[in-house]
Amino acid sequence: MTGFPILSLMLLVPLVGAVACVKASRELARTIALGTTLVNFALGVVLWLNYDVGGAQWQFQEHADLFAGFSWKLGIDGIALVLLELTVFLMPVCIGASWNSIEKRAGEYYAAFLAMETLMIGVFTAQDLFLFYIMFEAGLIPMYLIIGVWGGAERIYASYKFFLYTLLGSVLMLIAMFWMVNVAGTTDIPTLMQFDFPPQAQTWLFLAFFASFAVKMPMWPVHTWLPDAHVQAPTGGSVILAGVLLKMGGYGFIRFSLPMFPVASAYFAPMIWGLSMIAVVVTSLIALVQTDMKKLIAYSSVAHMAIVTIGLFAFNRQGLEGSMIVMLSHGLVSGALFMMVGVIYDRLHTRDIARYGGLAINMPYYALFFLLFTMASIGLPGTSGFVGEFLSLLGVYQVSSWVSLVATTGIILGAAYMLYLYARVVFGVQKNADAAAMPDLDMREWAMVVPLAAAVLWMGIYPESFLAPMRKDIGVVEARVAIAKPKGDAQVRTASHAIARTAGQNAVEPR
């Protein structure tokens, strides 16, 4: 694959497909969209097979100077690889989930999805700071349109809230980027990952990037846009929002905050843990009382992503690897759960839990797959959910037993709200004749759930397949933040101040 621009091709294919879909009829547009996403998935398989595990950190690199201060720089490491593969894996599922439900302006709908695929891939492959920012922010536009045009009754409110929350946080990040480039003299992300910014400046830089990544995750208390966005978005929009877009925040932390601002990361680790512990408990309790299936799963996403930030800021291999696996698992499982909600919503046109019950009688295969994804969400051993949560909690336990204890309560609460949801929808008495008359999965729905179920089991049974490509790159991040590793419950802040003094002696002064 040396010299072949496969990353640029993966960016170009969905972009061309988007242009072809704009004016196409509904039938043609969805066929083009499905074909395009399958082509990109095939390219993703080629990328996976040709990635040299244990080889150079940055592979499949492409570089072309475009104009003053801006370069087309692409490349991936193992961390970017697995998230890119998650993206191309979920995109055909999103198209399949929208196959019958989108009727108005279908060509534009599929064009927005394909444009978003280009931008999401761009986020994970960009090696130029400003190229990353463009891809990161431009991804808001198609998602804003998907919610605002094809969403539910309160779609306008939800789309504006989604757009404003995520945009305002990123303005500070852009200002910080300009300062970083002025000091470091480069926009190259791999170079910036090894650059020693002054400790005092790291505090402000960390907060500027945190303002963007915390909203994108989303972290408590800037999470309130997510339930509204999920409830109003069409099924395909919810799948890709939960599956990939939320992961951009976690990717930002591990790509920028930890390696570029290790001193500040150590200093603010207690704050991150505090916010994450609140999120795990509070949003889990809120999920318990929801009557809307989508809103319940949306709040569960906030709790699961809090496990990600807890593991990341443990600054050890188990925590970092666990956080990455949680992101991958959550991308699959939450996407699958939203799709399962979409399956019955397409039949009954309601997400009210009370309107269902006893679906195991007339939809046994649906009940079986729903059970698998429910068990994966609560971390049953043998599923993808167990591996990531176990590693994350093991990583943070080495640093703080109290944080790990609170995080573990979130898993218990997660089992409570997910099993409560499953029992009310699938078991019990069939109270409504229209729900009792719903048919089981059709061939299109089988084609969507089987790959997701296989991936969830594969990750749970043999996680090494996903850990191996990123192990070396996790080691690079771990080495970068090693000086910032907290020493224990009572020593976190003491260690942070000591690190700041040490780093201050070696920091590169601003130009």
Side-chain angles (χ1 to χ4, degrees):
M1 294 295 294
T2 303
F4 182 75
I6 188 171
L7 298 181
S8 290
L9 183 60
M10 293 182 73
L11 291 169
L12 181 62
V13 167
L15 196 59
V16 172
V19 173
C21 283
V22 172
K23 296 296 183 180
S25 65
R26 176 174 176 249
E27 291 72 17
L28 180 59
R30 65 188 186 182
T31 302
I32 293 173
L34 181 60
T36 300
T37 54
L38 289 175
V39 168
N40 240 24
F41 174 69
L43 290 173
V45 172
V46 172
L47 194 72
W48 179 275
L49 294 176
N50 285 273
Y51 185 82
D52 183 12
V53 177
Q57 180 181 6
W58 302 102
Q59 301 181 30
F60 306 100
Q61 288 184 299
E62 305 171 28
H63 182 198
D65 293 320
L66 300 180
F67 47 85
F70 187 80
S71 298
W72 182 260
K73 292 182 181 178
L74 303 178
I76 58 170
D77 62 353
I79 295 170
L81 173 70
V82 294
L83 292 172
L84 188 154
E85 298 295 342
L86 176 66
T87 304
V88 297
F89 179 77
L90 287 179
M91 281 304 297
V93 175
C94 294
I95 302 302
S98 309
W99 200 258
N100 295 325
S101 58
I102 302 300
E103 297 180 354
K104 65 175 184 178
R105 307 174 70 174
E108 297 168 16
Y109 173 86
Y110 292 113
F113 255 100
L114 294 176
M116 187 162 53
E117 181 177 16
T118 291
L119 296 169
M120 291 187 298
I121 293 173
V123 167
F124 300 131
T125 59
Q127 290 197 321
D128 180 90
L129 197 61
F130 293 121
L131 180 62
F132 167 84
Y133 184 82
I134 291 171
M135 298 290 186
F136 189 81
E137 290 306 304
L140 300 177
I141 299 172
M143 194 65 218
Y144 165 79
L145 294 174
I146 288 169
I147 298 173
V149 177
W150 295 277
E154 299 180 15
R155 60 186 180 275
I156 302 300
Y157 168 77
S159 60
Y160 273 107
K161 190 174 184 180
F162 161 75
F163 188 83
L164 291 176
Y165 263 67
T166 50
L167 178 64
L168 291 176
S170 297
V171 172
L172 295 175
M173 183 171 71
L174 180 61
I175 297 172
M177 285 180 173
F178 280 117
W179 189 91
M180 292 166 62
V181 172
N182 182 60
V183 171
T186 181
T187 61
D188 184 62
I189 291 176
T191 302
L192 291 170
M193 288 174 63
Q194 299 298 324
F195 192 86
D196 292 322
F197 290 102
Q200 298 83 356
Q202 284 192 33
T203 300
W204 298 106
L205 294 173
F206 179 92
L207 290 174
F209 278 74
F210 176 78
S212 179
F213 299 150
V215 172
K216 189 76 80 173
M217 286 287 285
M219 294 181 64
W220 186 91
V222 290
H223 68 287
T224 58
W225 63 268
L226 183 67
D228 292 318
H230 271 309
V231 168
Q232 299 305 319
T235 300
S238 290
V239 171
I240 206 64
L241 176 60
V244 180
L245 290 179
L246 300 189
K247 309 307 175 287
M248 292 182 182
Y251 177 75
F253 279 126
I254 200 169
R255 176 65 76 230
F256 295 90
S257 301
L258 268 62
M260 294 185 189
F261 323 124
V263 176
S265 295
Y267 182 80
F268 287 109
M271 178 191 76
I272 302 294
W273 285 343
L275 295 176
S276 300
M277 286 188 290
I278 293 173
V280 166
V281 176
V282 171
T283 58
S284 295
L285 292 173
I286 294 174
L288 266 172
V289 299
Q290 295 305 310
T291 58
D292 185 300
M293 286 186 282
K294 264 195 170 184
K295 190 166 283 190
L296 187 152
I297 299 170
Y299 278 111
S300 79
S301 293
V302 180
H304 280 92
M305 297 311 288
I307 300 294
V308 173
T309 48
I310 285 174
L312 286 176
F313 284 82
F315 302 139
N316 53 41
R317 181 174 292 276
Q318 290 89 347
L320 292 168
E321 289 184 348
S323 294
M324 284 299 303
I325 294 295
V326 170
M327 284 199 284
L328 294 176
S329 173
H330 180 263
L332 296 171
V333 175
S334 65
L337 288 172
F338 279 117
M339 194 188 66
M340 300 308 284
V341 173
V343 166
I344 54 178
Y345 179 81
D346 289 343
R347 289 161 168 76
L348 205 58
H349 300 291
T350 179
R351 294 183 300 270
D352 186 1
I353 298 172
R355 290 283 287 113
Y356 298 95
L359 293 187
I361 298 173
N362 56 306
M363 301 180 70
Y365 290 115
Y366 172 86
L368 176 63
F369 284 108
F370 196 3
L371 177 63
L372 171 62
F373 299 134
T374 298
M375 293 296 104
S377 179
I378 66 179
L380 181 74
T383 66
S384 58
F386 173 77
V387 180
E389 290 179 355
F390 177 80
L391 285 173
S392 294
L393 294 175
L394 179 63
V396 75
Y397 179 77
Q398 298 177 33
V399 181
S400 172
S401 57
W402 285 107
V403 175
S404 62
L405 176 63
V406 175
T408 303
T409 64
I411 297 177
I412 299 170
L413 290 171
Y417 62 70
M418 287 306 301
L419 292 176
Y420 189 38
L421 168 66
Y422 186 81
R424 286 180 288 170
V425 172
V426 175
F427 296 141
V429 178
Q430 291 188 321
K431 297 170 291 184
N432 299 293
D434 48 2
M438 294 192 305
D440 210 345
L441 300 175
D442 59 29
M443 291 304 296
R444 174 182 61 87
E445 292 159 347
W446 272 94
M448 292 187 295
V449 299
V450 169
L452 287 168
V456 167
L457 292 173
W458 177 17
M459 188 180 297
I461 295 171
Y462 191 61
E464 180 64 15
S465 300
F466 303 89
L467 288 168
M470 58 183 177
R471 178 167 288 120
K472 181 178 179 180
D473 304 298
I474 291 292
V476 172
V477 176
E478 182 188 21
R480 182 68 176 160
V481 298
I483 191 175
K485 188 180 296 184
K487 307 301 180 184
D489 289 331
Q491 299 175 341
V492 172
R493 288 195 177 276
T494 303
S496 301
H497 291 303
I499 294 159
R501 290 193 298 271
T502 303
Q505 300 172 3
N506 303 318
V508 177
E509 293 298 324
R511 295 183 178 182

